[in-house]
Amino acid sequence: MRRVGITLASVFGAGIVVVGIGVVVLVVIAVNSIAGIAKSSAADATPTCPKVASKTVGGMVVPAGPIAGFCQDRLVNAASVIQAAKALGIGPHTQAVGVMTAIGESSLVNLDHGDAAGPDSRGLFQQRDNGAWGTYEQRMDPYTAASMFYAKLVKVPGWKTMTPTQMAHAVQINSDPEHYAKSWPAAKAVVEGLTGETVPDTAPQG
């Protein structure tokens, strides 16, 4: 009986050791997974942009990037949005509203397709083929698409008293009025990076 007791104790002790090792292994795996996710997120936030020569769009020098996580191929589209605003006498705050809207709609990619909510949507602003947004060619031209966005925005009653996401929603009529808010910091950074001007958080009332 004594020998059996010793054997059971040994088995029980070995079981504890195995369980302990298993817990340590799981903890190590979990820590490495979390570190990997964090590293991946950091890499996504700061992409490595191709080394290309600067371009000039509307008098703005567009670098290789990144600015706010965007490389030159997308920054040139943002510059067209800013250029369209400037042509209409629109200042930095509302220039950034346009860039924010384009980020929220297309991540500054001039998309030649829509989505489930709007299969006929096209361009930076995902403007619909419903007669209100011009021709296909106009919607696919970043400067013209931005001009149409701003032309509608400045006709919205009280638009200068709205928050940036409310301004965008008043034109785009997104299912979520707050959809664009998360893109505001990046839009500000892009406009400031391309124009050298400070972007206020509220629209000028004058």
Side-chain angles (χ1 to χ4, degrees):
M1 294 295 293
R2 184 179 180 185
R3 290 175 65 186
V4 172
I6 292 172
T7 301
L8 291 175
S10 300
V11 171
F12 182 70
I16 292 175
V17 171
V18 170
V19 170
I21 292 172
V23 170
V24 171
V25 170
L26 289 174
V27 169
V28 170
I29 291 173
V31 169
N32 286 337
S33 296
I34 292 171
I37 292 170
K39 184 176 180 180
S40 176
S41 297
D44 291 342
T46 310
T48 300
C49 297
K51 294 182 179 179
V52 294
S54 297
K55 293 184 177 180
T56 301
V57 177
M60 289 169 280
V61 177
V62 183
I67 297 177
F70 296 107
C71 296
Q72 188 184 76
D73 60 330
R74 304 192 189 196
L75 293 173
V76 293
N77 290 330
S80 291
V81 174
I82 297 168
Q83 181 186 13
K86 287 184 173 183
L88 295 170
I90 290 172
H93 172 271
T94 312
Q95 292 169 18
V97 170
V99 173
M100 174 195 71
T101 305
I103 292 173
E105 292 289 349
S106 65
S107 294
L108 293 176
V109 177
N110 198 27
L111 298 175
D112 195 15
H113 61 79
D115 55 24
D120 58 348
S121 299
R122 294 293 184 273
L124 290 182
F125 292 86
Q126 286 291 278
Q127 293 158 332
R128 302 290 301 271
D129 184 19
N130 55 12
W133 291 109
T135 65
Y136 167 82
E137 289 76 16
Q138 289 173 322
R139 289 179 288 141
M140 285 300 297
D141 179 70
Y143 180 91
T144 304
S147 298
M148 293 190 293
F149 169 82
Y150 287 121
K152 286 186 179 291
L153 174 60
V154 298
K155 292 179 181 178
V156 174
W159 66 275
K160 287 187 177 182
T161 64
M162 297 177 179
T163 64
T165 191
Q166 289 172 341
M167 293 165 71
H169 175 68
V171 177
Q172 302 294 109
I173 316 298
N174 193 284
S175 58
D176 177 11
E178 297 300 315
H179 169 71
Y180 305 96
K182 61 182 178 291
S183 302
W184 178 245
K188 285 183 61 176
V190 168
V191 173
E192 291 178 345
L194 294 179
T195 68
E197 297 186 60
T198 299
V199 176
D201 283 314
T202 57
Q205 299 304 303

